[in-house]
């Protein structure tokens, strides 16, 4: 058996898993070699991809031209739920499966969305500096509204959206959602009010939590016009992907008090340059793309990704493939290449 080269790509990957020993230990059963591209130039990465039997990625684009060079590649594995960084069409044209890690952190992301909602709504980020500066006055942060009479709105009633719904209901909020792709049964089972149109939905919610994927359709879904539909006391929470919200429009909406606050885990450019207005606006809380994280989900992430990689490099079908159509048209013997 010849050595299988598994090429790691993406700055966030090296931030998330700086120590590659565990990955190396896992892939040794298939005679795998973990190859880090940390610090490499684009051209050096391309040369590594030519030798790659598998590619593991977070947050770094995997473009058509990269996929074109990856002649030996049998799997592109994202260590994230979202796979918007991969040109899935280009991979599909080359019959390369793309898999994601859909199950490792749904509860954690929902918990983070609810945490951002509560912290922003209760204005914890404004109260902490107020007390540190010697203050002791609730009027500083008026108004704060009761959760029990509030409507929590969700865009994208998938895995994370449903966990968020359950947690918001536990806090006594009524929950509504906009998701054109989910059956009525799911709304009925989860006790979530269905909105078929975005406009009345945005007009009615007190808290808006975004849980849809980044696609051509959802890019800048929240822009100047949609933010203006929201109520002045409303809070927007985004733990999905930065570009779903037009960040400049959100900054304007917060500065002009079109909405009351924002809890943001994902930005249009990550990590931020440092001069973004959103980092300074007092009604916004920004966290560093951490919603996925707990000690347990960190380990699950790596285990699920390595299981998938090993499965495919042993010639079996991927479990979490996002372009399954490649298998319906692929000659059978190619499965074991
Ligand atoms: P999912 O596929 O289970 O759910 C996504 C839902 O969005 C689906 O129900 C889908 O029908 C809906 N949707 C698609 N297009 C839509 C549109 N135009 N309008 C409204 N709804 C739409 O995915 P999930 O596991 O719930 O994850 C959701 C997203 O969360 C991921 O795509 C990822 O980008 C993000 N995420 C972020 C973190 C983090 O650390 N911040 C971690 C994990 C996932």
């Amino acid at each position: 058996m010849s050595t299988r080269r598994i090429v790691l790509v993406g700055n966030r990957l090296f931030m998330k898993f700086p120590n590659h020993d565990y990955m190396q230990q896992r892939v040794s059963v298939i005679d795998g070699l973990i190859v880090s591209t940390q610090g490499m130039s684009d051209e050096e990465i391309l040369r590594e991809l030519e030798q790659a039997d598998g590619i593991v990625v977070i947050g770094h684009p995997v473009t058509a031209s990269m996929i074109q060079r990856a002649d030996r590649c049998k799997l592109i594995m994202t260590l994230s739920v979202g796979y918007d960084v991969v040109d899935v069409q280009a991979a599909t044209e080359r019959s390369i499966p793309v898999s994601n890690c859909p199950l490792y952190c749904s509860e954690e992301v929902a918990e983070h969305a609810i945490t951002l909602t509560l912290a922003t709504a209760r204005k914890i980020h404004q109260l902490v500096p107020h007390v540190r500066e010697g203050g002791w006055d609730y009027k500083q942060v008026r108004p704060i509204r009761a959760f029990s009479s509030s409507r929590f709105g969700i865009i994208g009633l998938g895995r994370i959206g449903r966990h968020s719904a359950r947690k918001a209901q536990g806090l006594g909020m009524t929950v509504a959602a906009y998701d054109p792709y989910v059956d009525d049964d799911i709304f009925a089972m989860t006790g979530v009010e269905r909105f078929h149109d975005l406009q009345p939905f945005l007009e009615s919610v007190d808290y808006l939590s975004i849980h849809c994927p980044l696609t051509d359709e959802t890019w800048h879904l929240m822009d100047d016009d949609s933010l203006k539909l929201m109520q002045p006391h409303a809070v927007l929470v985004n733990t999905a992907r930065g570009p779903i919200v037009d960040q400049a429009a959100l900054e304007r909406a917060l500065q002009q008090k079109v909405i009351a606050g924002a809890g943001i885990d994902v930005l249009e450019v990550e990590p931020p340059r440092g001069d973004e207005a959103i980092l300074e606006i007092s009604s916004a809380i920004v966290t560093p793309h951490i919603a996925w994280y707990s000690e347990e989900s960190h380990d699950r992430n790596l285990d699920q990704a390595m299981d998938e990689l090993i499965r495919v490099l042993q010639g079996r079908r991927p479990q979490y493939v996002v372009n399954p159509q490649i298998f319906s048209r692929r000659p059978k013997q190619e499965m074991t290449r």
Side-chain angles (χ1 to χ4, degrees):
M1 183 166 60
S2 61
T3 301
R4 271 89 172 245
R5 294 176 73 83
I6 293 134
V7 176
L8 310 184
V9 184
N11 288 338
R12 277 195 58 229
L13 189 151
F14 304 119
M15 291 160 80
K16 197 169 176 180
F17 300 113
N19 182 341
H20 301 140
D21 294 350
Y22 181 69
M23 282 189 246
Q24 184 56 62
Q25 184 197 322
R26 286 291 316 273
V27 301
S28 59
V29 296
I30 49 158
D31 200 15
L33 177 71
I34 295 288
V35 179
S36 165
T37 59
Q38 190 168 21
M40 285 188 186
S41 67
D42 289 349
E43 191 45 46
E44 286 169 328
I45 293 175
L46 282 175
R47 277 202 294 275
E48 282 300 342
L49 294 185
E50 285 172 357
Q51 305 304 320
D53 295 286
I55 302 172
V56 176
V57 63
I58 317 179
H60 188 293
V62 180
T63 61
S65 54
M66 290 166 84
I67 290 167
Q68 214 46 47
R69 300 273 284 265
D71 280 335
R72 289 170 48 165
C73 181
K74 290 157 199 79
L75 179 68
I76 299 171
M77 178 79 233
T78 73
L79 274 168
S80 46
V81 180
Y83 48 88
D84 44 276
V85 289
V86 181
D87 189 332
V88 177
Q89 194 183 332
T92 306
E93 279 162 15
R94 296 213 65 191
S95 295
I96 299 174
V98 178
S99 287
N100 66 341
C101 279
L103 303 177
Y104 80 100
C105 65
S106 306
E107 286 276 7
E108 280 81 358
V109 179
E111 280 158 14
H112 200 72
I114 294 290
T115 303
L116 286 174
T117 303
L118 298 184
T120 315
R122 296 293 307 174
K123 303 190 181 167
I124 303 298
H125 53 311
Q126 294 170 356
L127 287 165
V128 170
H130 169 67
V131 172
R132 285 214 176 115
E133 285 155 20
W136 201 255
D137 181 3
Y138 85 98
K139 291 192 286 302
Q140 290 291 319
V141 290
R142 285 185 76 187
I144 288 177
R145 301 165 70 91
F147 291 125
S148 55
S149 54
S150 298
R151 178 180 271 154
F152 184 80
I154 294 170
I155 296 183
L157 194 61
R159 287 174 294 259
I160 298 170
R162 286 173 221 177
H163 284 302
S164 302
R166 182 170 43 81
K167 292 172 198 294
Q169 286 160 340
L171 290 164
M173 293 192 260
T174 57
V175 180
Y178 169 76
D179 187 331
Y181 304 108
V182 159
D183 288 344
D184 283 335
D185 295 358
I186 299 290
F187 281 83
M189 266 160 40
T190 52
V192 173
E193 184 185 356
R194 179 161 213 166
F195 278 81
H196 289 280
D197 295 310
L198 199 53
Q199 177 166 349
F201 169 74
L202 292 176
E203 285 168 350
S204 77
V205 299
D206 301 296
Y207 305 104
L208 174 68
S209 196
I210 300 176
H211 297 297
C212 58
L214 173 61
T215 61
D216 290 345
E217 193 189 9
T218 63
W219 183 84
H220 282 196
L221 184 68
M222 295 308 296
D223 59 8
D224 280 307
D225 291 340
S226 44
L227 284 161
K228 279 184 189 139
L229 295 172
M230 295 176 68
Q231 306 186 69
H233 66 264
V235 166
L236 178 149
V237 171
N238 187 10
T239 55
R241 282 290 179 269
I244 298 171
V245 177
D246 175 345
Q247 197 170 303
L250 176 64
E251 289 164 352
R252 281 190 290 276
L254 291 167
Q255 283 159 339
Q256 295 163 14
K257 301 198 183 333
V258 172
I259 61 170
I264 300 295
D265 187 54
V266 284
L267 293 172
E268 289 213 72
V269 175
E270 292 179 17
R273 295 180 306 274
D275 59 354
E276 289 86 343
I278 191 80
L279 303 176
E280 298 297 329
I281 293 172
S282 65
S283 57
I285 297 179
V286 180
T287 55
H289 204 142
I290 193 191
W292 63 274
Y293 169 70
S294 70
E295 284 298 306
E296 292 82 355
S297 63
H298 176 279
D299 294 351
R300 275 196 298 270
N301 189 191
L302 210 45
D303 273 332
Q304 289 173 8
M306 291 301 110
D307 287 350
E308 183 81 332
L309 194 64
I310 292 166
R311 179 183 298 115
V312 173
L313 292 184
Q314 284 176 332
R316 287 181 287 152
R317 258 190 196 217
Q319 205 174 354
Y320 300 114
V321 64
V322 303
N323 55 347
Q325 64 275 33
I326 64 170
F327 295 110
S328 49
R329 58 162 207 250
R330 201 175 183 189
K332 234 182 174 174
Q333 65 272 24
E334 263 199 59
M335 278 296 295
T336 51
R337 80 189 156 123

